Amino acid sequence: MTSLNNKVPGFLFCLLLALPAWVLGQYFPLIGAPVFAILLGMLVNQWYSKHEKTGPGIAFTSKYILQLAVVLLGFGLNLTQVMQVGLESLPIIISTISISLLIAFALQKWLKLDVNTAILVGVGSSICGGSAIAATAPVIKAEDDEVAKSISVIFLFNILAALLFPTLGDLLGLSNHGFAIFSGTAVNDTSSVTATATAWDAIHGSNTLDGATIVKLTRTLAIIPITLGLSFYRAYKASGNGRASEGTFRLKKTFPSFILYFLLASLLTSLVSAFGVDTSIFEGLKVLSKFFIVMAMGAIGLNTNLLKLVKSGGQAIGLGAACWFGITTVSLLMQALIGTW
């Protein structure tokens, strides 16, 4: 009970920080509440950095509330719907995810970037932005400043995509269907996919938003194999490449159970839908998931040095640019190849 009481002040602090960030995110969806939360946290950290009373609760929020947010995220995934509509885009999704991860792996040492940040930028660029970073960070035990850095990079290229992609699609002569697949596979974050598709629809009087959203949800499923793969790899390395007798124990210990619960939540949503029940009953849990992510990002901001982040962010931006260019190019090339242009 004492341990729980120690966490309450920090938890409430993160909650209070998340409220204005949430409101700002509603007014400026292209930036998004998680980015506002990190920025507010870093600004507060400039004059309140000791956290004697709030430290345990801030750490709890940045770790366990973040994991709970990922679990609740599963209630926004109807696997049946994803399989029906998203299968056409699957080759493009696999290709874009692969190229982003390969670029992150290839450039990490050349850019002298820490491994965790490279992984988070690669995963965030290729899968679903902040949600993928939120799911991956606990698995690889990323530091708060590494998470903040990668979220900032994703935010930058989200804005560029929303501003540039509708014009690029026009110049390339993409069809409405082709642009739905393009925005769903080449834009990082869900809110930015929505903004990009909405901008296209406003220009063309079309409805690419639904298709782009389904493609994006299909990408989100990649959270499961990616996080599991990273978890097994870290356990394998920790056990001395599998030779140590304690390797099996460590493997079980590092298995990300919250990803299993994420999958179960997705299966439950799909099962409910299969029986004809309106999945809008889970809407509240989806909103709560987003708010918990905002709280966790605020906690991460509170543990992040703004000046240090600015000074060390150049390499991460360079990697983000390379991943973004690679994903954009491969998405368009695959569409031309399979004829969805």
Side-chain angles (χ1 to χ4, degrees):
M1 190 67 180
T2 304
S3 176
L4 181 61
N5 289 338
N6 287 342
K7 295 179 177 64
V8 171
F11 177 84
L12 292 177
F13 191 25
C14 295
L15 176 63
L16 289 174
L17 200 65
L19 291 174
W22 181 266
V23 173
L24 287 169
Q26 305 306 305
Y27 281 102
F28 304 98
L30 187 56
I31 299 174
V35 173
F36 280 120
I38 283 184
L39 291 174
L40 287 173
M42 288 190 293
L43 288 174
V44 170
N45 189 50
Q46 293 300 298
W47 57 267
Y48 176 66
S49 58
K50 293 184 178 180
H51 309 311
E52 289 98 342
K53 293 183 179 180
T54 56
I58 292 172
F60 175 81
T61 303
S62 68
K63 183 177 181 181
Y64 294 105
I65 296 300
L66 184 59
Q67 292 182 13
L68 178 57
V70 174
V71 173
L72 296 179
L73 189 68
F75 289 103
L77 278 176
N78 184 336
L79 300 180
T80 304
Q81 186 183 29
V82 167
M83 291 301 178
Q84 288 174 345
V85 183
L87 281 178
E88 180 187 19
S89 61
L90 194 58
I92 303 173
I93 291 171
I94 293 173
S95 300
T96 52
I97 290 175
S98 299
I99 193 64
S100 180
L101 295 178
L102 285 172
I103 289 172
F105 176 78
L107 295 185
Q108 179 259 322
K109 288 186 178 178
W110 184 69
L111 290 171
K112 298 179 180 177
L113 191 63
D114 61 272
V115 174
N116 281 351
T117 301
I119 291 173
L120 293 176
V121 170
V123 168
S125 299
S126 61
I127 300 177
C128 53
S131 299
I133 291 171
T136 305
V139 174
I140 63 174
K141 295 179 172 56
E143 300 291 334
D144 286 346
D145 63 327
E146 295 167 341
V147 176
K149 196 183 302 182
S150 56
I151 288 282
S152 302
V153 169
I154 297 302
F155 154 69
L156 172 62
F157 292 102
N158 279 342
I159 289 182
L160 289 176
L163 292 175
L164 299 177
F165 278 7
T167 302
L168 177 62
D170 268 337
L171 291 174
L172 295 173
L174 286 176
S175 64
N176 290 330
H177 179 60
F179 190 80
I181 294 177
F182 176 52
S183 57
T185 54
V187 182
N188 298 335
D189 204 68
T190 303
S191 59
S192 298
V193 171
T194 301
T196 306
T198 301
W200 175 273
D201 289 340
I203 296 170
H204 297 274
S206 56
N207 182 26
T208 64
L209 180 58
D210 290 346
T213 302
I214 292 297
V215 173
K216 183 66 177 60
L217 290 177
T218 308
R219 279 172 69 193
T220 302
L221 285 176
I223 286 175
I224 298 168
I226 292 295
T227 51
L228 289 179
L230 287 169
S231 176
F232 280 104
Y233 177 73
R234 286 184 66 88
Y236 180 77
K237 294 288 286 185
S239 65
N241 294 332
R243 291 190 295 272
S245 59
E246 59 183 323
T248 304
F249 171 76
R250 287 188 177 180
L251 188 61
K252 291 178 180 177
K253 188 176 180 180
T254 56
F255 186 89
S257 57
F258 71 96
I259 294 296
L260 175 61
Y261 297 135
F262 164 81
L263 179 57
L264 290 175
S266 303
L267 291 172
L268 178 60
T269 303
S270 307
L271 187 63
V272 166
S273 176
F275 280 98
V277 180
D278 188 356
T279 55
S280 63
I281 60 173
F282 296 124
E283 194 63 35
L285 294 176
K286 290 160 57 180
V287 174
L288 187 59
S289 167
K290 294 176 182 177
F291 186 76
F292 278 165
I293 287 179
V294 175
M295 280 187 64
M297 292 303 114
I300 286 168
L302 287 168
N303 285 329
T304 302
N305 186 302
L306 179 59
L307 295 177
K308 181 181 176 183
L309 181 69
V310 171
K311 290 178 181 178
S312 62
Q315 298 96 322
I317 292 174
L319 179 61
C323 290
W324 188 59
F325 179 79
I327 289 170
T328 301
T329 303
V330 168
S331 177
L332 292 171
L333 287 175
M334 286 296 294
Q335 281 212 65
L337 185 64
I338 64 178
T340 57
W341 194 296

